[in-house]
DNA sequence: AAATAAAATTGATTTAGATCAATGCCATTT
DNA sequence: AAATGGCATTGATCTAAATCAATTTTATTT
């Protein structure tokens, strides 16, 4: 149940066996079925979820009722609404399982305590955040300046996992395109080779 | 010279006077004139710059020769290309002063050393990064899903400083709009009230 | 396996914003 | 004060992507 977590931490910092055993005790394992939600818009996001198995997405719904996917999560990724999780504000996002999933939940206070008891864990969290920030910067760039086709090609290059495991209309939503546009973009690309 | 830095750190964590004195020694003060660059595209970003005074911007230039502003920085903000700074990769950004500015530069190794010697500084860095991440997430949302007018109104609401201190065509670039479109959007808004 | 629902594709039309082009407006510099 | 060059504004036109609509394909449920 903790294989992915061990792997994820191990890639960034070194924990002793005892430290990792201690670490485990702070997490709450949870299974969640496809289409079930971990967080509902309007609620406070009480957990940071590490994904041992499965796929999740977080999304907002705008005034016109359109869904906008903000983030996907796969095995070995963390998913949360950081803003709500850290400040306790009501979330504007819904987090939902796309496939049956196994999660390890960490409350904000458990996370604080873990970072105090195991300094390497604070380091791990900071490194994760750095990477997430860099990835997000790339995404802003693509969102602002790329054409529909470029957005799609950038995504296939950077995150083939997303293309492979997520329904096409969700990929479209993640890229800020309509499903029709993404379908046409894919057709264009396939015709060219 | 270190007023803004003291203020910025003080808002997030508590340092003793000795700690802050030690902290100062890790920084390299640097004055930079309007239009001078701190980082040139293709170079490695060796510094994380804290802005004591002035305004900076970072931008990329795409294949068609168009500038895309990625980030602005004002007094009390940090500016760098995090990806290049942390990994040593060549940067795709240029960082340039929009006004005469006073900076406090921190190399990556100085930063590492500081985080080891003063744990509260690592905490400070993590908190900064959290806030930056949350802000960036909002920006992605706006970039993907908002109309030109919404993008502009969001920005005026969240960062009036940017509107006030930065030339309009740079604001347009930051929002992913042409200067013409931003001009028209502003006109529309002013006609309505 | 049949029925139903959801997803993807394709076509026709519309539209927000880009592009192209010209003019007026400040702000430096001389 | 005149001259220069970068900005902002305004108008006309174009275009990438959205919207609307229908059909086919693929998943789910019964």
């Amino acid at each position: 149940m903790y294989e992915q977590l061990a792997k994820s931490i191990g890639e960034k910092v070194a924990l002793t066996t005892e430290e990792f055993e201690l670490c485990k005790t702070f997490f709450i394992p949870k299974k969640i079925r496809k289409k079930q939600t971990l967080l509902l818009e309007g609620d406070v996001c009480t957990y940071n979820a590490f994904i041992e198995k499965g796929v999740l997405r977080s999304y907002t719904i705008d005034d016109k009722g359109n869904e906008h996917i903000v983030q996907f999560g796969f095995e070995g990724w963390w998913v949360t609404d950081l803003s709500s999780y850290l400040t306790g504000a009501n979330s504007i996002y819904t987090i939902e399982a796309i496939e049956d999933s196994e999660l390890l939940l960490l409350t904000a206070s458990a996370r604080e305590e873990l970072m105090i008891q195991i300094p390497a864990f604070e380091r791990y969290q900071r490194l994760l955040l750095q990477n997430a920030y860099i990835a997000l910067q790339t995404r802003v760039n693509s969102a602002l300046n790329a054409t529909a086709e470029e957005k799609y090609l950038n995504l296939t290059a950077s995150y083939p996992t997303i293309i492979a495991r997520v329904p096409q209309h969700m990929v479209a939503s993640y890229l800020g395109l309509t499903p029709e546009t993404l379908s046409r973009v894919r057709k264009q690309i396939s015709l060219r080779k």
Side-chain angles (χ1 to χ4, degrees), chain A:
Chain A
M1 188 69 187
Y2 293 86
E3 294 78 35
Q4 291 290 331
L5 182 63
K7 192 176 156 217
S8 172
I9 295 176
E11 279 168 2
K12 303 253 182 278
V13 295
L15 292 194
T16 63
T17 314
E18 301 81 62
E19 279 176 332
F20 186 63
E21 288 305 313
L22 173 63
C23 185
K24 279 182 184 178
T25 66
F26 285 83
F27 287 86
I28 305 159
K30 169 157 183 164
K31 295 199 181 189
I32 179 177
R33 297 204 140 268
K34 185 169 174 171
K35 295 212 174 151
Q36 284 188 326
T37 59
L38 179 67
L39 169 70
L40 260 177
E41 181 186 344
D43 291 349
V44 174
C45 185
T46 39
Y47 301 111
N48 198 347
F50 181 83
I51 306 172
E52 273 290 325
K53 189 163 175 306
V55 185
L56 285 83
R57 65 178 178 134
S58 82
Y59 62 92
T60 8
I61 297 176
D62 69 19
D63 334 311
K64 287 150 224 141
N66 300 319
E67 261 179 38
H68 300 287
I69 296 182
V70 172
Q71 202 196 348
F72 291 110
F74 300 91
E75 288 84 10
W77 299 33
W78 290 83
V79 195
T80 192
D81 171 6
L82 203 64
S83 175
S84 169
Y85 180 71
L86 294 172
T87 70
N90 292 326
S91 181
I92 54 167
Y93 303 113
T94 295
I95 302 180
E96 185 187 286
I98 297 181
E99 300 176 3
D100 294 355
S101 302
E102 295 175 23
L103 309 175
L104 296 171
L105 306 180
L106 191 62
T107 66
S109 57
R111 176 169 169 273
E112 287 295 327
E113 191 54 32
L114 241 181
M115 291 192 294
I116 292 166
Q117 291 197 25
I118 308 176
F121 191 82
E122 170 150 22
R123 191 172 186 78
Y124 166 65
Q125 289 283 304
R126 184 172 51 75
L127 293 173
L128 279 182
L129 201 56
Q130 283 177 1
N131 291 340
Y133 182 86
I134 291 167
L136 204 50
Q137 192 133 27
T138 312
R139 194 165 166 217
V140 174
N141 249 292
S142 183
L144 284 173
N145 310 127
T147 63
E149 180 169 325
E150 286 164 351
K151 285 178 196 176
Y152 178 70
L153 290 175
N154 289 346
L155 188 68
T156 26
S158 307
Y159 298 99
T161 328
I162 294 182
I163 310 291
R165 282 184 72 179
V166 161
Q168 196 172 307
H169 70 282
M170 290 190 187
V171 173
S173 167
Y174 181 79
L175 292 174
L177 304 174
T178 59
E180 293 94 327
T181 295
L182 182 55
S183 174
R184 281 185 254 262
V185 161
R186 281 165 49 86
K187 176 141 209 208
Q188 280 307 311
I189 293 169
S190 73
L191 287 177
R192 273 209 304 275
K193 47 169 186 214

